[in-house]
Amino acid sequence: MNDGSVLEFLSGSGTRPFAIAGLILIGLLVIEIVSMLMGVSLSAKIDALFDVDSPDAPDLDHGGIAASGLDVHAGEGSLFGTAWDWLNAGRVPLLVWLMGLLGAFTAFGYIIQALAHLVIGFLPAFMAAVPAGVLAIPATRNVSRLIGRIVPRDESYVVTRDDLIGLTGTVSLGPVTEQEIGRVLVKDAHGNRHLTWVRAAGPGIDLPTGTVVLLTERRGTEYLVIAADPDLVV
């Protein structure tokens, strides 16, 4: 391809939806990186705004299934599971899941148009966008499962969210104040690690990265924390 052909392929009318999706993906990625460098993750803000989190899982060692009253799905991708669970949307930050969807849609769109161009020429945008969108959905599910295994989420599958209250951890993304949320690494009684979104329990509290804190209360997807004795961290 010459320069004109490459430009037409990347931003022509047939691939314009995928170019737009790719630009949105790049923009979200840049904003997320910048926000994390500033100590406030955009993905955390979005999760907190929409109260997005993976469902509480019962503590199997303490009869949690009966006590929790939760509808526990037998397996990922089960026909009886909800579409939200099937997509693993609650097991990674919503913004990360959205970026995965945009990335998959963009990649499949360009692949479809490249293959079509070799055979019959560029397809109309909507004819390429529909199969790209269909293929992007299961691809996003698989990518989110992989990310969920690599990046710890706020909760474990063997404890409930409230089980973390009263535990100590270390601020891994700070500073944490009453207005600015951050991340705390906590280890539960079973030895599982959790990265929880937290904010300070009151005004005037400033908890920099590395501070040992105590989780005192849960509010939605966030925990309130105070400074704790470093000797108490597990």
Side-chain angles (χ1 to χ4, degrees), residues 104-125:
F105 177 73
T106 301
F108 282 121
Y110 278 118
I111 290 172
I112 290 171
Q113 286 289 41
L115 294 176
H117 180 66
L118 293 175
V119 180
I120 59 175
F122 290 125
L123 299 172

Side-chain angles (χ1 to χ4, degrees), residues 76-150:
E76 293 183 19
S78 168
L79 291 176
F80 300 101
T82 64
W84 190 256
D85 290 336
W86 188 85
L87 288 169
N88 298 306
R91 288 173 171 79
V92 294
L94 182 59
L95 185 62
V96 173
W97 182 88
L98 177 60
M99 288 192 288
L101 180 63
L102 290 170
F105 177 73
T106 301
F108 282 121
Y110 278 118
I111 290 172
I112 290 171
Q113 286 289 41
L115 294 176
H117 180 66
L118 293 175
V119 180
I120 59 175
F122 290 125
L123 299 172
F126 78 92
M127 291 185 64
V130 171
V134 171
L135 292 172
I137 292 174
T140 302
R141 176 178 187 262
N142 292 329
V143 170
S144 66
R145 290 178 66 186
L146 178 61
I147 295 174
R149 291 171 181 170
I150 297 174

Side-chain angles (χ1 to χ4, degrees), residues 7-205:
L7 182 61
E8 179 185 0
F9 176 71
L10 293 177
S11 60
S13 60
T15 57
R16 191 162 298 152
F18 317 119
I20 293 173
L23 290 174
I24 294 174
L25 169 61
I26 294 172
L28 291 176
L29 183 60
V30 170
I31 294 173
E32 173 70 2
I33 292 174
V34 171
S35 67
M36 291 190 69
L37 291 176
M38 295 175 63
V40 182
S41 172
L42 176 63
S43 62
K45 292 290 189 181
I46 293 176
D47 278 7
L49 177 64
F50 292 101
D51 196 20
V52 175
D53 203 357
S54 54
D56 281 336
D59 186 338
L60 301 181
D61 295 334
H62 296 86
I65 292 179
S68 64
L70 297 174
D71 180 15
V72 181
H73 301 296
E76 293 183 19
S78 168
L79 291 176
F80 300 101
T82 64
W84 190 256
D85 290 336
W86 188 85
L87 288 169
N88 298 306
R91 288 173 171 79
V92 294
L94 182 59
L95 185 62
V96 173
W97 182 88
L98 177 60
M99 288 192 288
L101 180 63
L102 290 170
F105 177 73
T106 301
F108 282 121
Y110 278 118
I111 290 172
I112 290 171
Q113 286 289 41
L115 294 176
H117 180 66
L118 293 175
V119 180
I120 59 175
F122 290 125
L123 299 172
F126 78 92
M127 291 185 64
V130 171
V134 171
L135 292 172
I137 292 174
T140 302
R141 176 178 187 262
N142 292 329
V143 170
S144 66
R145 290 178 66 186
L146 178 61
I147 295 174
R149 291 171 181 170
I150 297 174
V151 181
R153 280 290 282 157
D154 293 354
E155 313 303 333
S156 165
Y157 292 106
V158 296
V159 296
T160 66
R161 281 177 272 188
D162 288 339
D163 287 334
L164 299 183
I165 298 174
L167 299 181
T168 57
T170 304
V171 176
S172 60
L173 176 62
V176 176
T177 67
E178 187 181 29
Q179 300 299 325
E180 301 296 338
I181 60 176
R183 284 278 203 177
V184 166
L185 180 63
V186 184
K187 184 182 292 185
D188 65 29
H190 304 286
N192 300 310
R193 294 186 306 163
H194 310 261
L195 273 173
T196 63
W197 294 115
V198 301
R199 69 173 69 241
I205 300 177

